[in-house]
Amino acid sequence: IAEDRRRYCHHCTNKKKINIYYDTHDAEEISIENLKKHDVYFKRSYSEKYKDNFCQERKNDIYPLGLNYLVMPNRFNRSSFYRQFSLSKTSKEKISAIMHSFDINNKIRFYPKLKDMHRAPKGYQKIKILFMATAWDPYNNPDRSKEKIEERIYINEMRANCIRLLRKEFGNNFYGGLMHNEFTIKMYKDALLENKNNALKKNYINILNEFPICVATMGLHGSIGGKFAEYVAFSKGILSEKMNFQLPGNLEKD
């Protein structure tokens, strides 16, 4: 990727500026409108097949964004604050943007800062497995297609069954469950987290530190979830479904 960036920047030396677009949507679709407006397009759910089929004219300007997860700067960052505030559409979102940027020491509310969101590998650890996840109501949107309804049903059942099997096989060496919401409480009582507060970000990070092996399943639209990215940042051994999208670097089985 670095070599490709150098190639592109060399190609654009006569331009006054280069417009870069970061697409973090779960799905593989490329926004042709935004591709036309920008010189370089970084795509989260990056698919060579999709790019070759639908973006022939500009396919060399599309690159995999790589793994991503929510994290805030350690200190106040003017450009970060301006970006968050300007993208906020409601008063609630604007207040949240202010809190993100100015609550440096997390005294008002916990926000994941850079210093919180990575760990070096530890030495020998007892085999302990973690899998905390969510599930979605497939029918809460009347406009959702049959295909997307079936996808949500598959993801929900896959995650719930993983939790049941892990509890059965590993007992106290496993911790996990589905987050509590109206849908999961109704449909998956036997697969819920024992303590719903452990799904809060601060508590989750503390728990994550203690588990050397973590489970990742497919996200919406077949995406690679932010949880997988966090596992990498925290140096975990990862058990995952087969990935549907390509990543930069040398990530591979084993």
Side-chain angles (χ1 to χ4, degrees):
I1 293 299
E3 184 59 39
D4 286 337
R5 284 173 177 165
R6 284 193 289 271
R7 174 192 63 78
Y8 199 91
C9 290
H10 176 75
H11 176 69
C12 296
T13 50
N14 293 327
K15 291 191 175 185
K16 290 183 179 180
K17 64 179 180 179
I18 299 173
N19 292 313
I20 301 175
Y21 187 76
Y22 293 97
D23 182 347
T24 60
H25 195 276
D26 296 342
E28 67 182 354
E29 286 81 10
I30 300 291
S31 169
I32 300 302
E33 178 184 355
N34 283 304
L35 180 59
K36 289 177 179 178
K37 293 178 181 177
H38 297 81
D39 301 303
V40 184
Y41 191 111
F42 286 98
K43 176 64 180 170
R44 172 191 170 187
S45 294
Y46 177 87
S47 167
E48 286 280 355
K49 183 178 179 181
Y50 181 90
K51 186 176 78 168
D52 290 342
N53 288 341
F54 297 101
C55 308
Q56 275 290 330
E57 186 178 338
R58 293 282 308 281
K59 71 176 186 177
N60 291 329
D61 300 325
I62 304 170
Y63 301 96
L65 175 60
L67 297 171
N68 64 292
Y69 61 96
L70 178 65
V71 65
M72 305 294 172
N74 290 330
R75 297 181 294 275
F76 175 74
N77 183 289
R78 183 180 297 177
S79 60
S80 177
F81 166 67
Y82 176 76
R83 178 175 58 82
Q84 289 183 61
F85 194 81
S86 62
L87 291 173
S88 300
K89 297 178 181 178
T90 66
S91 297
K92 185 177 180 180
E93 289 176 347
K94 291 184 184 296
I95 292 171
S96 180
I98 293 170
M99 291 172 65
H100 281 174
S101 299
F102 290 93
D103 186 18
I104 303 302
N105 297 315
N106 284 330
K107 291 183 178 180
I108 302 173
R109 180 181 169 187
F110 179 83
Y111 296 102
K113 308 286 186 178
L114 281 169
K115 60 183 173 61
D116 304 312
M117 296 304 293
H118 64 91
R119 294 289 185 277
K122 293 185 177 181
Y124 175 80
Q125 290 178 274
K126 180 181 177 181
I127 292 177
K128 294 168 66 180
I129 302 169
L130 178 70
F131 181 48
M132 295 166 62
T134 191
W136 301 277
D137 184 350
Y139 303 102
N140 64 351
N141 184 345
D143 297 325
R144 185 170 293 130
S145 67
K146 181 182 178 182
E147 179 186 13
K148 294 304 179 185
I149 289 173
E150 290 175 351
E151 179 191 66
R152 290 190 178 219
I153 292 172
Y154 165 79
I155 293 172
N156 293 345
E157 289 297 315
M158 174 68 171
R159 292 178 174 184
N161 285 331
C162 277
I163 290 161
R164 293 169 183 137
L165 286 168
L166 286 162
R167 284 175 175 172
K168 180 180 178 181
E169 292 293 326
F170 294 98
N172 292 333
N173 290 325
F174 168 73
Y175 182 77
L178 296 174
M179 298 178 188
H180 292 227
N181 59 47
E182 186 176 346
F183 175 72
T184 57
I185 291 170
K186 179 181 178 181
M187 300 298 296
Y188 297 105
K189 285 184 179 180
D190 65 325
L192 292 172
L193 279 170
E194 294 174 6
N195 183 347
K196 66 178 181 179
N197 290 327
N198 282 340
L200 297 173
K201 197 71 176 186
K202 184 177 182 179
N203 296 338
Y204 165 70
I205 291 170
N206 289 333
I207 292 169
L208 181 60
N209 279 324
E210 303 305 317
F211 286 79
I213 301 172
C214 299
V215 176
T217 55
M218 180 182 76
L220 292 176
H221 307 284
S223 63
I224 301 169
K227 182 157 57 255
F228 187 99
E230 290 172 346
Y231 293 164
V232 173
F234 280 76
S235 305
K236 302 301 178 181
I238 304 170
L239 296 172
S240 173
E241 286 185 86
K242 183 179 179 180
M243 294 186 186
N244 297 310
F245 299 109
Q246 292 83 52
L247 295 169
N250 59 354
L251 188 69
E252 59 185 19
K253 185 178 177 181
D254 299 324

